[in-house]
Each structure stands twice: as structure tokens, then as C-alpha cells.
Amino acid sequence: MAESKKKTKKNRYIFIYATFPSKKIVQSITEKLIEKKLVVCANIGDHDAIYSWNGRVYEEKEYAVFFKTREDKWKKTKNFILEKHPYETPVILKLKIRDYNPGFKTWMDESLK
């Protein structure tokens, strides 16, 4: 018989996706978020971004990051990124993780204590 568990914010895991203008900025913010135990890890990659801003089209290098964390850390993490982010209107998205391996859960919970 399957055990029914109510999902709380402490057992719901998320990715937070954000973009930054430089590797130095994303590394600095990531290190602080890990030190504060708001995230456990960040996957960072550079890419070309083409976007519209104030009626013009721009093309620039950007750094995208997927932060791994739990739902209960979302608001503090989002607010920290907003406070430190150099963009006027940064993208900060919460993506729910629907399934994961047991080792991932254990690692996340131990790292966020």
C-alpha cells in the first residue's frame, strides 16, 4: 500500500533560472547563495542572447545559471538575486522539479541544513 505524504515546502525541490552579464557577477552571487545555504549548486553556462529592450534589438554574451534548491528557499533566494543583480529587469524563474532520485533529495536536504 502506497504511503501518502503531504508535500511541504521542505520536500519540494526547484531550479531557479537566471541570467547575468558576466561570469564574475554570477560566480560572486552563487558563492554567497551557497554560503547562506540558500542553494546547493549552480550550473553556469555562457550563451548568445538576442532580446528586445526599449524598442531595440540587442545581441550580447550572457551567463545563464540553474540554481538547485528547495521551495522554502525560493523567496529569500529570489530577493537576494534581485538585490545584487545589475540588470534593471532580470529574469528569475522558479522551475519545479517533479521527480528525482533519492540521492539527490538526501544531498539537497543535507546541504541546506
Side-chain angles (χ1 to χ4, degrees), residues 37-75:
K37 296 193 181 282
L38 292 174
V39 304
V40 299
C41 176
N43 298 104
I44 302 165
D46 63 330
H47 62 266
D48 295 322
I50 302 173
Y51 60 94
S52 173
W53 183 254
N54 293 327
R56 290 186 54 208
V57 175
Y58 294 86
E59 183 172 347
E60 297 178 352
K61 288 283 185 199
E62 249 184 357
Y63 289 82
V65 59
F66 282 96
F67 296 106
K68 295 176 186 126
T69 191
R70 282 191 319 240
E71 178 79 28
D72 63 309
K73 307 289 185 175
W74 162 243
K75 286 182 183 175

Side-chain angles (χ1 to χ4, degrees), residues 14-58:
I14 62 172
F15 287 123
I16 298 173
Y17 174 83
T19 58
F20 296 86
S22 76
K23 190 171 184 178
K24 184 177 178 179
I25 291 169
V26 74
Q27 285 176 321
S28 173
I29 289 172
T30 298
E31 287 170 8
K32 289 176 183 133
L33 287 170
I34 291 171
E35 287 169 8
K36 292 176 173 288
K37 296 193 181 282
L38 292 174
V39 304
V40 299
C41 176
N43 298 104
I44 302 165
D46 63 330
H47 62 266
D48 295 322
I50 302 173
Y51 60 94
S52 173
W53 183 254
N54 293 327
R56 290 186 54 208
V57 175
Y58 294 86

